[in-house]
């Protein structure tokens, strides 16, 4: 029976909430599944239904200027500042999409800022900053049309196909011309001719100078010049049922055009910069999105706004783009803060009635920016609050999707944006959550702290109270940790019973205690006075934490100290001194912490506290005498956050260590054994400082938030790793015994295969020596046994590379070199040279390592052959010497031996 492997702490990244959009173009195919977004130099494909990351298409080193998807979702087209256009074919499977680069083109001599694809997904229009427009065949990769207008930036493009009725006036004009040319042809004959569908294809373009031009793809020329806008034209759309083209731009007007006469039907001022416009349904409704951050619906026929009056949104929520097609079930609007808002498209039944102000049914955060702080929410910990370097708290879902059928746009997938807590006027710096997860406290640069009531079941997210009084930014907040008595009203109905107090710390170097009102405070004039205010430190306060009895709280400051306070009186109970730089984080030990082993002896677990500092260390302190128990060293930059992991149950403490976690400016999360100070493991998935840490109280999952806009969820896989390690050890012992059995019975084929699999070089060497030195080799065998030849001829790339490594080592030893040469000769005869040159070797240095191995084999082989040649040459000298001796020596037949006593033997003739 195999001995159990020692317990090893392991965590794996199970989920990652990553940025998908940092500004620029977005695209959506007709199936409303694939969302393409711009992420700096790269393009990201996301499944908008499940929120899952599909793939990232790496850029060419320059920022992406625009991108688009074909309506069918067959191709992705990306243009960058390098003036290159890359066309990717999207190969779809049931659970993935694989982009394959089809071709790279240089469409214009200037960057391309706008793209358009026709409804058939075969034609692509590109608009350059020099005013030129080109139409491309996507599958063929060649230009079909080139249109040249004034040297003004093209700001909008749209393919459309004229309705048949709108071409009749054109047919009548043509018939008049024909009657002038051919008197024999009647007008009725001309009108009865059908106009081919290709003749109805048009391309509308809008420019930065406000001009709109309609291009005929059949005649390859301009059919209409619409001079009306006086600024950038940002939106174009066509309705075949209404025979209308709608245009809108940054001159704050919307214009509807009759496509029969190309005259303006209606001009409506909208008093905002319009960034997107389009028809809804059969064209009776028109939508606009612009700088007010509100989706507005208009009656196409009379130009009246149907949505009720809406107050402008904050500047960061202004719309900078939008997407809608009749095939899509919703309208997508892009905000300045890189949030995508999804709105239900109203039906044609609303064409004559007032529409309530549209609200997005879903928001997709393109990027969360810097993650400054985070906490689990709700009793089941199914949501998470994120402080994201903004004035709002973002609440996201952290539960897995439910099994079974899902609606088109699911609101229950992992990472889904649930709500925003709006109220602060400046960046939020800290947050805390009470025991129930329903109450959230926040502190911000606006010098205020707020308490929020979170009730997702009723879609209620309200500000309960605002605490004003600090002279500088509120940098730390803390709510009580103690749980109410089970069965009490506060325990059974936490939504109706807010926490009893709030502790705040500020850059003004003071701490304040606030009594939380039992009822929500309504009105801006209502103010709350602090119970007490204490001058706590000589520099900014970075963190505050309360213990689990809610009797003490700790404040950490840039003045290198941590102070322990009584909650009730606000008096200092002790000061922790020892850090060489400012202290960034502090955390009391959990209530179930057992006795801990310090450098000076054992300490009661309940009376310890953990701190992290700018001196790159963590320290564990004894609250009995306020001395340092242990120092943890390992980070290369500032320790920004510390947290305790769940304490193992008593029956598992003999094998599972008591752990704490730390996050640093080096982008790493480290786990430490509290009892011996050793680093158990390091978690690396971030590219910037890790500001925030949280631990799931049930599953021990660690959540880390970083300045790289990612939130990583680390699953505790220690138990799974332990089981897998034990199983692997047991399996290896069984395989080694099996190898011994094969070797004993002389089953060389199976033994060599097993030795390669187990990577046993010594046994492999013995097996090959037996085969090569066999006294009864098989006839026609390369190695000595045909069974071994078959094994060597059917190796995988990994096994072949491993065998080459062994042959390289054996080839350096003169004793084992003959065997190595025989096996190497067998390999060379069994495989073509291309197999060795194209070996798929894992690792970044794979091909380089392969080259080194082959070179080493070559060098030692040449050395062995040179030595053999020298031996052969020397043998010639020996043979020559013997021959000469034979010619000089007399014949043995003429000689006789004469014994001289007992000593000499004399040869005489």
């Amino acid at each position: 029976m195999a001995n159990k492997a020692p317990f090893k702490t392991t965590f794996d990244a199970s989920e990652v909430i990553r940025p998908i959009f940092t500004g620029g173009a977005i695209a959506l195919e007709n199936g409303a599944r694939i969302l393409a977004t711009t992420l700096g130099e790269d393009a990201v494909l996301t499944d908008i239904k499940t929120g899952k990351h599909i793939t990232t298409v790496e850029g060419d080193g320059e920022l992406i200027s625009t991108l688009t998807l074909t309506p069918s979702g067959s191709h992705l087209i990306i243009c960058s500042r390098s003036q290159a256009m890359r066309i990717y074919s999207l190969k779809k499977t049931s659970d993935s999409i694989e982009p394959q680069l089809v071709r790279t083109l240089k469409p214009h001599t200037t960057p391309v800022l706008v793209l358009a694809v026709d409804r058939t997904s075969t034609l692509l229009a590109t608009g350059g900053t020099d005013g030129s427009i080109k139409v491309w065949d996507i599958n063929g990769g060649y230009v079909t049309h080139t249109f040249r207008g004034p040297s003004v930036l093209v700001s909008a493009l749209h393919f459309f196909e004229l309705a048949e009725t709108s071409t009749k006036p054109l047919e009548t004009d043509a018939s008049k011309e024909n009657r002038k040319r051919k008197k024999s042809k009647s007008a009725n004959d001309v009108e009865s001719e059908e106009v081919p569908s290709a003749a109805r294809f048009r391309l509308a373009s809008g420019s930065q100078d406000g001009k709109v031009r309609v291009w005929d793809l059949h005649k390859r020329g301009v059919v209409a010049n619409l001079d009306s806008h006086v600024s950038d034209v940002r939106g174009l759309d066509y309705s075949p049922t209404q025979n209308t083209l709608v245009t809108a731009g940054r001159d704050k007007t919307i214009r509807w055009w009759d496509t029969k006469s190309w005259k303006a039907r209606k001009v409506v001022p909208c008093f905002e910069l319009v960034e997107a416009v389009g028809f809804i349904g059969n064209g009776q409704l028109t939508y606009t999105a612009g700088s007010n951050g509100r989706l507005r619906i208009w009656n196409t026929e009379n130009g009246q706004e149907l949505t009720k009056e809406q107050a402008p949104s904050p500047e960061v929520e202004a719309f900078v783009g939008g997407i809608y097609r009749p095939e899509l079930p919703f309208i997508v609007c892009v905000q300045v803060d890189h949030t995508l808002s999804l709105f239900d498209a109203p039906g044609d039944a609303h064409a004559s009635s007032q529409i309530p102000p549209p609200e997005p049914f879903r928001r997709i955060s393109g990027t969360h920016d810097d993650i400054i702080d985070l906490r689990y929410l709700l009793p089941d910990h199914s949501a998470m609050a994120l402080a994201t370097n903004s004035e709002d708290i973002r609440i996201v879902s952290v539960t897995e999707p439910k099994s079974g059928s899902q609606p088109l746009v699911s609101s229950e997938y992992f990472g889904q944006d649930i709500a925003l807590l709006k109220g602060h006027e400046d960046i939020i710096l800290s947050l805390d959550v009470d025991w129930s997860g329903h109450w959230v406290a926040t502190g911000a640069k606006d010098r205020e702290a707020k308490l929020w009531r979170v009730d997702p079941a009723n879609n209620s997210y309200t500000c309960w109270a605002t605490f004003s009084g600090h002279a500088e930014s509120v940098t730390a907040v803390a709510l009580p940790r103690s749980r109410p008595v089970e069965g009490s009203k506060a325990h059974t109905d936490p939504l109706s019973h807010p926490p009893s107090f709030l502790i705040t710390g500020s850059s003004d170097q003071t701490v304040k205690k606030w009594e939380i009102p039992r009822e929500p405070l309504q009105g801006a004039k209502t103010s709350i006075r602090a119970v007490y205010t204490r001058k706590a430190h000589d520099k900014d306060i970075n963190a505050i934490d309360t213990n689990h009895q809610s009797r003490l709280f700790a404040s950490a400051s840039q003045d290198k100290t941590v102070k322990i306070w009584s909650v009730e009186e606000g008096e200092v109970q002790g000061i922790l001194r020892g850090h060489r730089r400012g202290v960034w984080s502090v955390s009391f030990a959990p209530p179930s912490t057992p006795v801990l082993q310090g450098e000076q002896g054992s300490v009661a677990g309940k009376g310890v506290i953990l701190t992290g500092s700018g001196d790159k260390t963590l320290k564990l302190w004894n609250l009995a005498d306020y001395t340092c128990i242990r120092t943890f060293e390992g980070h290369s930059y500032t320790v920004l956050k510390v947290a305790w992991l769940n304490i193992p149950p008593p029956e598992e403490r003999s094998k599972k260590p008591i752990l704490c976690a730390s996050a640093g400016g080096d982008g790493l999360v480290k786990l430490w054994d509290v009892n011996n100070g050793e680093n158990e493991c390091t978690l690396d998935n971030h590219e910037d400082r890790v500001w925030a840490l949280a631990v799931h109280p049930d599953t021990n999952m660690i959540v880390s938030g970083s300045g790289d806009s990612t939130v990583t969820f680390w699953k505790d896989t220690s138990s799974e790793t332990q089981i897998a390690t034990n199983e692997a050890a047991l399996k290896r012992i069984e395989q080694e015994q099996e190898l011994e059995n094969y070797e004993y019975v002389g089953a060389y084929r199976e033994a060599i295969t097993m030795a390669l699999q187990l990577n046993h070089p010594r046994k492999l060497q013995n097996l090959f020596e037996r085969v090569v030195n066999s006294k009864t080799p098989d006839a026609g065998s390369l190695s000595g046994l045909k069974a071994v030849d078959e094994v060597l001829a059917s190796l995988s790339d990994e096994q072949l590379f491993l065998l080459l490594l062994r042959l390289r080592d054996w080839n350096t030893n003169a004793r084992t070199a003959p065997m190595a040469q025989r096996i190497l000769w067998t390999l060379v005869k069994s495989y073509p040279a291309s197999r060795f040159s194209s070996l798929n070797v894992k690792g970044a240095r794979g091909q380089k390592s392969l080259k080194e191995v082959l070179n080493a084999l070559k060098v030692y082989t040449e050395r062995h052959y040179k030595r053999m040649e020298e031996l052969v040459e020397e043998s010639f000298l020996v043979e020559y010497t013997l021959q000469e001796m034979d010619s000089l020596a007399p014949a043995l037949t003429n000689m006789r031996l004469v014994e001289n006593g007992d000593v000499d033997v004399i040869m005489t003739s």
Side-chain angles (χ1 to χ4, degrees):
M1 183 68 183
N3 294 327
K4 289 187 177 181
F7 186 84
K8 183 178 180 181
T9 303
T10 58
F11 281 76
D12 293 331
S14 60
E15 296 283 352
V16 179
I17 299 177
R18 55 170 59 88
I20 63 170
F21 178 56
T22 54
I26 69 167
L28 195 64
E29 43 92 36
N30 284 346
R33 179 192 173 191
I34 308 173
L35 172 68
T37 52
T38 304
L39 187 65
E41 301 173 0
D42 305 328
V44 177
L45 299 184
T46 306
D47 190 329
I48 199 172
K49 180 179 178 180
T50 63
K52 293 295 184 181
H53 174 78
I54 298 175
T55 188
T56 298
V57 181
E58 293 187 1
D60 57 5
E62 295 287 342
L63 294 176
I64 292 177
S65 57
T66 186
L67 60 76
T68 190
L69 284 168
T70 56
S72 63
S74 61
H75 291 83
L76 169 68
I77 299 97
I78 302 174
C79 296
S80 70
R81 297 287 181 179
S82 65
Q83 302 179 18
M85 179 171 71
R86 289 168 291 143
I87 301 177
Y88 293 86
S89 173
L90 301 182
K91 304 297 182 182
K92 300 180 183 178
T93 61
S94 58
D95 57 351
S96 66
I97 296 175
E98 183 68 26
Q100 295 181 352
L101 181 62
V102 177
R103 58 180 54 88
T104 301
L105 305 168
K106 186 176 181 180
H108 297 265
T109 57
T110 58
V112 175
L113 297 184
V114 61
L115 296 172
V117 181
D118 76 322
R119 62 176 178 82
T120 64
S121 301
T122 57
L123 296 180
L124 168 70
T126 59
T129 57
D130 59 355
S132 63
I133 299 170
K134 292 183 180 181
V135 180
W136 303 76
D137 184 291
I138 295 177
N139 293 319
Y142 55 84
V143 177
T144 61
H145 301 75
T146 299
F147 302 123
R148 300 192 182 277
S151 300
V152 181
L153 181 146
V154 179
S155 57
L157 290 172
H158 180 68
F159 279 104
F160 64 95
E161 185 178 353
L162 285 175
E164 291 187 16
T165 55
S166 65
T167 63
K168 286 185 178 180
L170 299 178
E171 291 176 5
T172 304
D173 294 339
S175 65
K176 291 180 180 179
E177 294 295 329
N178 290 336
R179 282 199 301 270
K180 291 179 181 179
R181 296 176 181 176
K182 297 181 180 180
K183 300 294 184 181
S184 62
K185 198 166 187 179
S186 65
N188 292 332
D189 293 334
V190 177
E191 290 182 0
S192 64
E193 292 180 359
E194 292 185 359
V195 177
S197 60
R200 299 197 300 269
F201 275 97
R202 303 287 187 268
L203 174 64
S205 66
S207 302
Q208 198 173 38
D209 59 0
K211 303 293 190 297
V212 176
R213 294 172 179 82
V214 181
W215 308 85
D216 188 329
L217 299 186
H218 184 64
K219 296 181 178 180
R220 299 176 179 270
V222 178
V223 295
N225 275 302
L226 311 180
D227 298 338
S228 56
H229 293 284
V230 295
S231 187
D232 293 27
V233 178
R234 298 293 298 164
L236 301 165
D237 199 10
Y238 172 76
S239 171
T241 57
Q242 301 293 325
N243 289 321
T244 303
L245 178 73
V246 64
T247 64
R250 291 177 176 170
D251 61 356
K252 305 182 181 181
T253 63
I254 311 168
R255 297 174 185 266
W256 289 268
W257 304 86
D258 188 333
T259 55
K260 295 179 180 179
S261 61
W262 295 115
K263 301 294 184 183
R265 283 186 177 177
K266 199 74 177 175
V267 179
V268 176
C270 55
F271 305 105
E272 68 168 332
L273 305 177
V274 180
E275 299 292 338
V277 67
F279 290 107
I280 298 174
N282 64 4
Q284 295 184 27
L285 299 176
T286 302
Y287 80 90
T288 60
S291 57
N292 284 349
R294 299 293 185 182
L295 182 67
R296 302 168 73 179
I297 309 300
W298 308 77
N299 185 300
T300 301
E301 185 66 28
N302 56 30
Q304 292 184 351
E305 184 177 1
L306 299 179
T307 46
K308 296 180 180 178
E309 186 175 354
Q310 307 174 73
S313 298
E315 186 176 346
V316 295
E317 296 181 10
F319 293 140
V320 294
I323 296 178
Y324 176 74
R325 291 190 297 273
E327 296 83 4
L328 298 178
F330 46 75
I331 303 170
V332 183
C333 293
V334 184
Q335 296 180 184
V336 171
D337 63 357
H338 308 145
T339 298
L340 309 182
S341 298
L342 276 58
F343 295 85
D344 286 317
D348 293 330
H350 296 90
S352 59
S353 60
Q354 285 283 311
I355 299 176
E359 291 293 335
F361 67 86
R362 178 179 165 199
R363 285 186 173 90
I364 303 174
S365 294
T367 176
H368 289 299
D369 207 351
D370 290 8
I371 309 297
I372 298 176
D373 207 351
L374 52 80
R375 290 288 190 279
Y376 275 106
L377 296 180
L378 308 180
D380 60 354
H381 315 293
S382 60
M384 178 159 282
L386 304 177
T388 61
N389 200 29
S390 69
E391 301 86 356
D392 305 327
I393 290 291
R394 298 183 181 182
I395 299 178
V396 299
S397 169
V398 290
T399 55
E400 293 292 340
K402 296 181 179 178
S403 59
S405 61
Q406 294 285 331
L408 181 62
V409 179
S410 172
S411 60
E412 298 177 351
Y413 69 79
F414 196 98
Q416 165 68 45
D417 289 78
I418 297 175
L420 290 175
L421 303 183
K422 293 177 172 288
H424 283 288
E425 297 178 357
D426 209 335
I427 295 174
I428 296 173
L429 299 175
S430 62
L431 64 89
D432 196 17
V433 177
D434 79 328
W435 69 272
S436 70
H438 284 294
W439 297 92
V440 182
T442 57
K445 283 187 175 182
D446 60 6
R447 298 178 292 181
E448 290 183 346
K450 291 181 181 290
L451 183 70
W452 308 83
R453 182 179 181 272
V454 177
D455 182 13
N458 297 312
N459 197 28
S460 173
Y461 307 90
T462 57
C463 179
W464 187 268
T466 300
F467 307 91
S468 302
H470 282 289
E472 299 290 342
S473 301
V474 179
T475 53
V477 292
L479 290 170
R481 297 276 184 269
S482 57
R483 287 174 171 266
V485 178
E486 288 192 18
S488 63
K489 291 183 178 180
H491 188 272
T492 57
D493 185 18
L495 282 169
S496 301
H497 297 80
S500 57
F501 65 86
L502 171 68
I503 304 293
T504 60
S506 169
S507 296
D508 63 10
Q509 306 168 15
T510 65
V511 294
K512 292 178 182 286
K513 177 185 177 183
W514 312 82
E515 291 290 344
I516 296 176
R518 299 296 94 189
E519 297 294 333
L521 298 182
Q522 304 294 335
K525 295 183 179 180
T526 306
S527 61
I528 303 174
R529 296 195 61 178
V531 177
Y532 57 73
T533 301
R534 299 288 185 266
K535 174 69 166 65
H537 294 273
D538 297 328
K539 292 185 178 180
D540 295 4
I541 296 172
N542 291 328
I544 290 179
D545 190 36
T546 56
N547 73 342
H548 288 268
Q549 292 78 30
S550 299
R551 297 176 181 173
L552 301 174
F553 73 89
S555 61
S557 171
Q558 281 295 109
D559 64 4
K560 310 176 189 178
T561 66
V562 176
K563 292 186 178 182
I564 310 299
W565 308 74
S566 65
V567 171
E568 189 65 28
E569 299 84 12
E571 299 296 333
V572 175
Q573 305 297 304
I575 302 176
L576 310 180
R577 293 186 174 93
H579 281 296
R580 300 186 302 277
R581 296 287 176 86
V583 184
W584 283 93
S585 184
V586 60
S587 180
F588 283 95
S592 58
T593 306
V595 174
L596 301 178
Q597 295 298 320
E599 295 175 352
Q600 306 298 327
S602 58
V603 180
K606 293 183 180 180
V608 298
I609 192 170
L610 187 67
T611 60
S613 167
D615 60 9
K616 310 174 188 178
T617 66
L618 295 78
K619 287 183 181 290
L620 191 66
W621 306 82
N622 185 356
L623 294 180
D625 55 8
Y626 305 107
T627 58
C628 179
I629 304 172
R630 188 179 297 280
T631 299
F632 306 85
E633 297 180 346
H635 280 284
S636 57
Y637 289 91
T638 301
V639 178
L640 299 171
K641 201 75 172 182
V642 296
W644 292 83
L645 272 68
N646 298 335
I647 304 299
E651 62 273 13
E652 296 182 0
R653 290 174 187 169
S654 59
K655 63 176 184 178
K656 289 187 176 181
I658 298 173
L659 300 174
C660 65
S662 62
D666 50 12
L668 302 177
V669 176
K670 290 181 177 288
L671 301 183
W672 309 85
D673 186 331
V674 175
N675 280 314
N676 60 27
E678 296 294 329
N679 178 213
E680 288 290 306
C681 66
T682 298
L683 312 180
D684 184 6
N685 193 47
H686 295 287
E687 298 176 356
D688 205 338
R689 297 176 180 178
V690 181
W691 290 100
L693 273 184
V695 178
H696 195 290
D698 299 328
T699 64
N700 223 26
M701 178 176 283
I702 300 174
V703 187
S704 57
S706 169
D708 62 5
S709 306
T710 62
V711 180
T712 303
F713 294 78
W714 303 93
K715 182 181 178 182
D716 187 353
T717 57
S718 302
S719 299
E720 291 87 341
T721 302
Q722 177 78 2
I723 294 172
T725 302
N726 291 336
E727 290 178 351
L730 180 61
K731 184 178 179 180
R732 186 172 182 85
I733 290 176
E734 293 174 351
Q735 289 176 330
E736 288 178 350
Q737 182 60 51
E738 193 175 355
L739 174 60
E740 295 284 349
N741 296 339
Y742 287 142
E743 189 177 5
Y744 179 77
V745 300
Y748 294 113
R749 175 191 180 96
E750 292 79 4
I752 290 174
T753 303
M754 187 67 70
L756 280 171
Q757 182 180 346
L758 296 178
N759 192 17
H760 271 322
R762 182 62 181 173
K763 286 194 176 294
L764 194 61
Q765 176 187 336
N766 293 336
L767 289 168
F768 280 136
E769 286 180 343
R770 290 185 188 179
V771 171
V772 170
N773 300 323
S774 174
K775 295 181 179 180
T776 57
D778 293 346
S781 172
L782 298 174
S783 63
L785 289 178
K786 289 187 176 180
V788 175
D789 292 350
E790 294 176 0
V791 172
L792 295 179
S794 58
L795 298 177
S796 66
D797 283 2
E798 186 177 356
Q799 289 176 331
L800 183 56
F801 181 67
L802 184 61
L803 182 55
L804 289 174
L805 285 174
R806 301 297 170 227
L807 291 175
R808 179 198 62 182
D809 298 337
W810 297 334
N811 200 37
T812 60
N813 191 322
R815 186 180 64 83
T816 56
M819 176 271 293
Q821 287 294 320
R822 183 71 176 271
I823 300 302
L824 181 61
W825 180 65
T826 304
L827 293 178
V828 173
K829 289 290 186 179
S830 302
Y831 297 104
S834 59
R835 175 67 188 279
F836 293 98
S837 63
S838 61
L839 277 182
N840 184 16
V841 184
K842 294 181 180 179
R845 297 184 65 253
Q847 292 302 322
K848 186 177 180 181
S849 299
L850 176 62
K851 184 177 180 181
E852 292 173 353
V853 171
L854 295 177
N855 284 337
L857 284 169
K858 176 186 174 184
V859 169
Y860 275 95
T861 300
E862 290 175 348
R863 183 179 299 179
H864 291 314
Y865 275 106
K866 183 177 180 181
R867 179 168 53 84
M868 292 174 64
E869 290 174 357
E870 291 175 351
L871 286 174
V872 171
E873 291 176 357
E874 292 175 358
S875 70
F876 291 157
L877 179 60
V878 173
E879 184 179 357
Y880 172 77
T881 302
L882 292 175
Q883 290 177 353
E884 291 298 318
M885 290 176 65
D886 289 342
S887 62
L888 295 175
L892 291 177
T893 56
N894 299 325
M895 295 183 181
R896 59 188 180 89
L897 300 178
V898 178
E899 296 184 1
N900 185 10
D902 295 332
V903 180
D904 299 328
V905 177
I906 302 173
M907 298 177 62
T908 62
S909 56

